Amino acid sequence: MQTITPFLSLDPKTRHVRLNARDPAFYTNPNPTYAALHALCPTFYWEEQRMWFVTGYDHVNALLRDRRFGRQILHVASREELGLPEPLPHLKNFDAAESWSLLELEPPEHTRLRTLINRAFVSRQIEHMRPEIAALANRLIDSFEKDGETELLSTFADVIPVTMIARMVGIPEEMGPQLLKWSHDYVGMYMFKRSRADEDAAERAATEFAAYVRGVIAERRAEPRDDLLSHMIHTEHRGQHLSDDELVSTVIVLLNAGHEATVHQIGNSVRLILESGLDPAELFRDAAATERTVEETLRICAPVHIFDRWCLEDAEIDGVSFRRGDKIGMVLAAANLDPKTFPDPLTFKPERNEAANLSFGAGIHFCIGAPLARLELNVVIPLLFARLPGLKIKETPRVKDVYHFHGLERLDLDW
């Protein structure tokens, strides 16, 4: 093994890598590590995770669309056949809440669920929310503008995405703080090296979250409203309605995915822009410049770094053979930094025009909430800089120990 940093060792010949994802020097700024992997070992076996990962843009982009790989495996093979352990009893309610998650299903179930909710998330529908998003952002800035300082995540970034997705789904806005708490505990299940305490917190969150959603479903079944939940309850697809279990899983994944990554990305983007030294007035001079700036922040500091796939049939990727039941990880954030696709990849260049970033995935599991997240970012970030000229970082931002997500603990600003 060749030691690259105190937390990274690798053998380019065997393509084996040792990488401590809990080392603050890594998760605080993973990009230099991704650059080293691109240079020495772009497809690698991560010993601590016991599986293969790909970082190359072309390989990740292709894998996201490759139907030989999927988010689900038990629809084609049994646990016994694959040698998989039985579900953990202390995660019974978490597993139940995940059982019909859009993120975890393959066709035909995935197609049926996604068809029922996709219409609400297409760009032309989402665009109608622009005035609402701007009004909410302005109201929040009004509340702290006179103070001359703020902690941006708690006063701004946390509030906007959860409020907007709650409005869309049909959840009362006053539930926002509770939704955030459930979501933070819930997604703890997806961190590397999660602890039993993380699992217990996720189980409690899933139990409470599902019970709450079932109550709202009963209300909307009796008295439909003009919201996405009522639409999902009362709309048929080929003669079928969604079951309550399907509705619970779908609402939970929409509320979690509908804000968690966007909260991270607002903080990541504002920090990146302030540290770049570039002029915000120029970055946001018009809609096209704003869009390029937002996409470049998504490329260089993505909020979600890894997505896994199960191998559904024997396949070979970059010279590595996979058997049915194997897992492979795609490092989306590293693919966005592939020097073969993005010259000078670690440099923030909003004028780039090389390729689409993969921060929202691709293929049938492309993030359904991407149009909403993009609209929120394109509205609220320019507004923040326009309303608070002289905005600057007050204290060095702290990054959360939540890899494979990437977001800040706090972002203290003044002006």
Side-chain angles (χ1 to χ4, degrees), residues 79 90 154 171 185 227 304 307 321 352 363 393 408:
R79 288 183 179 275
H90 67 279
S154 58
I171 303 296
D185 288 344
D227 56 38
V304 180
F307 244 90
S321 296
R352 283 184 190 275
I393 294 173
L408 303 176

Side-chain angles (χ1 to χ4, degrees), residues 193-215:
K193 293 198 173 180
R194 68 181 190 238
S195 66
R196 175 61 190 257
D198 293 327
E199 293 178 348
D200 290 342
E203 173 72 0
R204 281 194 302 273
T207 304
E208 295 170 7
F209 209 160
Y212 173 75
V213 172
R214 286 184 190 280

Side-chain angles (χ1 to χ4, degrees), residues 7 19-34 268 271 305 398-409:
F7 53 83
L19 172 57
N20 178 11
R22 299 300 298 275
D23 190 313
F26 169 66
Y27 68 72
T28 295
N29 183 15
N31 288 2
T33 300
Y34 295 153
N268 293 346
R271 176 193 185 178
H305 281 211
R398 298 202 305 268
V399 178
K400 284 185 178 182
D401 178 10
V402 291
Y403 191 82
H404 55 93
F405 300 99
H406 186 72
L408 303 176
E409 290 275 4

